[in-house]
């Protein structure tokens, strides 16, 4: 339980770093490096620099004025980055992009978004939390031992799906692959977390017989598809 | 261990197997797409979707029977 909220101006350095580092990382890989190449005009370089300044400015005032910081750190930063990409034009075509760098840049933008999501939950200036002091609350139940491996597997599978999409080199198929990879990753994470939470839960969802009967039809369909796959593989 | 507890463990095991199979099918499907094996990719993605839906239905079987 939180005894009292920290003063807004004393936003911990770790919270600033949580936003600053992913933002810098994403900017460096996806905005900074492309504009540092030879032959790039002044326009994209100016917008890229503006994006960096907006990010640093937002981090300097995030403790005092969260709304203004959010405008600079999210809207201005993303707008300037997008403007840079638009001004780069053909310099940013898929033929000139490094796949690994692009994948790592995507990861950087994801971490940047999570970082700002975390900042959103911090107490804003002048609005301290009113929570009574006391002993920390004890959770009603603990996660089952199988839950962590299941979630870890889901995260790994989701990352592998995202990475495999970058192997597709045909342009039209690459768009489909990235869409399918994002959908697969989200589905695997969602279902994996639900299965992990259901392990060892005290709340009985349904009887085991009902649960097994629920997948009888789709299980038969899967068996049929598996058989067809075996026949297909044997005939090839 | 009584029968109900045993069957509960079996249901949990089937649930996890279906989930792992779905994730593996998705990975194989995307890998096949990268190797220009489009029919195989569709096959694996379809198998993954059905397996994942089955794993979801095992968590809430009543809604799936409607």
């Amino acid at each position: 339980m939180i005894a009292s909220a920290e003063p807004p101006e004393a936003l911990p350095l770790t919270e600033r770093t949580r936003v600053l580092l992913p933002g810098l990382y994403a900017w460096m890989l996806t905005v900074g490096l492309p504009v540092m190449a030879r032959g790039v005009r002044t326009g994209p370089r100016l917008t890229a620099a503006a994006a960096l300044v907006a990010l640093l400015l937002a981090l300097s005032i995030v403790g005092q004025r969260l709304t203004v910081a959010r405008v600079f750190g999210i809207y201005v930063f993303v707008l300037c980055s997008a403007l840079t990409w638009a001004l780069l034009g053909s310099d940013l075509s898929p033929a000139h992009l490094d796949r690994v760098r692009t994948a790592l840049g995507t990861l950087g933008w994801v971490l940047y978004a999570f970082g700002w999501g975390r900042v959103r939950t911090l107490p804003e200036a002048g609005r301290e939390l009113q929570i009574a002091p006391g002993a920390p609350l004890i959770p009603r139940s603990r996660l089952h031992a199988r839950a962590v491996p299941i979630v870890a597997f889901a995260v790994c599978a989701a990352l592998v799906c995202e990475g495999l999409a970058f192997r597709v080199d045909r342009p039209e198929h690459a768009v489909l692959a990235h869409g399918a990879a994002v959908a697969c990753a989200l589905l695997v994470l969602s279902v994996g977390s639900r299965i992990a939470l259901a392990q060892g839960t005290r709340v009985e969802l349904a009887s085991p017989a009902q649960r097994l009967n629920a997948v009888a039809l789709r299980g038969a369909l899967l068996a049929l598809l598996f058989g067809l796959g075996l026949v297909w593989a044997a005939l090839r | 261990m009584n029968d109900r507890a045993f069957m509960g463990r079996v249901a949990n095991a089937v649930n996890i197997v279906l989930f792992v199979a779905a994730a593996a099918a998705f990975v194989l499907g995307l890998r096949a797409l990268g190797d220009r094996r489009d029919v195989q990719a569709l096959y694996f993605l379809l198998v993954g979707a059905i397996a994942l839906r089955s794993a979801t239905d095992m968590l809430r079987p009543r809604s799936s029977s409607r």
Side-chain angles (χ1 to χ4, degrees):
Chain A
M1 184 180 292
I2 301 169
S4 62
E6 293 185 4
E9 59 273 12
L11 194 72
L13 183 64
T14 52
E15 297 300 333
R16 294 172 195 261
T17 313
R18 206 190 298 274
V19 178
L20 177 65
L21 281 184
L24 273 180
Y25 179 70
W27 180 87
M28 181 59 73
L29 282 178
T30 60
V31 181
L33 285 177
V35 298
M36 287 174 197
R38 284 183 183 177
V40 175
R41 289 160 298 169
T42 314
R45 288 184 174 171
L46 282 177
T47 51
L52 184 61
V53 169
L55 180 69
L56 295 175
L57 187 64
L59 265 295
S60 65
I61 58 171
V62 72
Q64 291 84 27
R65 296 179 179 179
L66 183 57
T67 309
V68 180
R70 212 178 287 159
V71 168
F72 277 102
I74 299 175
Y75 296 104
V76 178
F77 178 66
V78 173
L79 185 70
C80 288
S81 300
L83 204 58
T84 306
W85 295 326
L87 291 172
L88 278 171
S90 60
D91 293 334
L92 209 65
S93 68
H96 296 123
L97 290 178
D98 178 31
R99 289 175 186 176
V100 176
R101 204 178 74 194
T102 310
L104 291 174
T106 306
L107 188 65
W109 280 102
V110 170
L111 293 175
Y112 159 81
F114 280 134
W116 273 108
R118 163 76 184 174
V119 169
R120 199 168 68 89
T121 61
L122 290 173
E124 288 194 38
R127 267 201 283 162
E128 294 187 0
L129 292 176
Q130 300 293 327
I131 301 174
L137 296 174
I138 302 169
R140 291 180 182 176
S141 61
R142 292 184 179 279
L143 281 177
H144 195 270
R146 277 198 301 266
V148 176
I150 291 172
V151 171
F153 174 80
V155 171
C156 290
L159 287 175
V160 170
C161 284
E162 288 290 342
L164 283 172
F166 286 93
R167 290 181 69 236
V168 183
D169 49 4
R170 293 170 290 175
E172 295 86 1
H173 292 72
V175 176
L176 170 71
H178 280 283
V182 170
C184 291
L186 289 176
L187 285 171
V188 166
L189 285 175
S190 167
V191 176
S193 58
R194 287 171 63 185
I195 291 174
L197 287 174
Q199 302 300 309
T201 180
R202 291 178 186 173
V203 181
E204 188 66 35
L205 297 171
S207 71
Q210 276 180 315
R211 294 176 63 193
L212 289 170
N213 283 335
V215 293
L217 196 63
R218 289 203 180 87
L221 186 58
L222 278 173
L224 181 67
L225 281 171
F226 185 66
L228 284 174
L230 283 179
V231 170
W232 182 29
L235 290 176
R236 287 185 70 196
Chain B
M1 184 189 297
N2 59 19
D3 286 349
R4 187 181 171 86
F6 175 73
M7 288 302 290
R9 287 195 172 193
V10 170
N12 279 340
V14 172
N15 199 354
I16 293 171
V17 167
L18 280 171
F19 170 64
V20 171
F26 284 147
V27 168
L28 287 172
L30 288 166
R31 187 166 166 264
L33 201 59
D35 293 339
R36 302 190 174 211
R37 291 179 276 124
D38 295 342
V39 181
Q40 276 190 31
L42 285 175
Y43 170 80
F44 281 123
L45 290 176
L46 179 66
V47 168
I50 294 173
L52 201 65
R53 182 63 198 267
S54 304
T56 311
D57 283 349
M58 285 197 76
L59 295 173
R60 44 178 178 82
R62 286 177 185 170
S63 61
S64 67
S65 60
R66 284 172 190 169

